[in-house]
Amino acid sequence: MQPLGLIHIYTGEGKGKTTAAVGLAIRCAGSGGRVVFCQFLKDNQSSELNILRQLPEVEIVQAEAVHGFYKNLNDEQRAAARQTAEQLLHRAIAAASDAGQPSARLLVLDEAVAAYNHQLLPCDVLLDFLRTKPQGLEVVLTGRAPAPELLALADYISEIRKVKHPFDRGIAARRGIEK
């Protein structure tokens, strides 16, 4: 019997949403499950990708181009970012559903919530996929302030609350700890 795959959302203002998703990816790969890990709105240089790339059970789906912080983009750059995110989503879904490989057990869509909120992803495509995903596929979405329609589809919603963070004192992200 195929295992039941559920939908997780890791959200909140605190540090650790991606870290939690990476931990689940490692747990899944450690049990022999195939993992597809996709990051939106990030520069593909996050340190967690280095270890994930070493695991044969994990496939990284990443963008060729990174467009920078959404709030700093002009209209032309936003259009390019939208095209990149849409292509990335389609590639991630295809990789998780690839009939030529063993079925993926876990699909991580890191920062998909932010990409969705900025309308970089085709909302209908993501929502339709979440409603009709393969039964055994676990899906994780991370990001702040998920839309009500995403929350309604989730089986798990974990909020990571910031109590105190060094960034508030002007301490930049440190390699190996925050990036």
Side-chain angles (χ1 to χ4, degrees):
M1 185 171 138
Q2 188 176 38
L4 177 63
L6 302 176
I7 298 172
H8 308 232
I9 294 179
Y10 303 155
T11 189
E13 298 296 317
K15 173 191 176 313
K17 295 175 288 293
T18 298
T19 304
V22 169
L24 186 58
I26 290 170
R27 175 181 283 165
C28 184
S31 72
R34 186 169 156 263
V35 177
V36 176
F37 194 95
C38 177
Q39 287 188 318
F40 297 90
L41 302 170
K42 291 189 176 177
D43 66 4
N44 301 325
Q45 300 301 313
S46 296
S47 298
E48 63 268 8
L49 295 180
N50 295 335
I51 196 69
L52 291 177
R53 284 186 183 102
Q54 295 177 38
L55 302 175
E57 299 85 2
V58 178
E59 178 180 351
I60 306 291
V61 177
Q62 61 189 55
E64 308 254 336
V66 178
H67 302 281
F69 287 108
Y70 181 81
K71 66 181 180 180
N72 297 335
L73 303 180
N74 62 34
D75 289 342
E76 184 178 315
Q77 292 167 323
R78 286 181 181 184
R82 189 172 299 108
Q83 183 177 18
T84 297
E86 183 172 347
Q87 290 171 352
L88 196 57
L89 178 62
H90 286 291
R91 286 179 43 221
I93 290 171
S97 306
D98 186 354
Q101 297 191 46
S103 296
R105 178 70 178 104
L106 174 64
L107 171 61
V108 175
L109 299 173
D110 188 36
E111 289 301 339
V113 171
Y116 184 94
N117 289 344
H118 291 307
Q119 296 163 351
L120 296 176
L121 296 178
C123 297
D124 58 332
V125 172
L126 180 59
L127 293 172
D128 184 56
F129 170 72
L130 293 174
R131 288 183 190 113
T132 63
K133 69 175 187 54
Q135 180 180 346
L137 181 64
E138 203 84 7
V139 179
V140 173
L141 299 99
T142 71
R144 297 174 183 191
E149 58 271 24
L150 292 175
L151 294 172
L153 291 170
D155 298 292
Y156 292 92
I157 301 171
S158 297
E159 184 173 9
I160 299 173
R161 186 174 65 90
K162 178 182 86 164
V163 175
K164 187 175 184 180
H165 196 292
F167 185 77
D168 297 336
R169 297 189 336 240
I171 298 172
R174 300 161 298 145
R175 184 150 182 83
I177 304 300
E178 290 92 13
K179 64 179 184 173

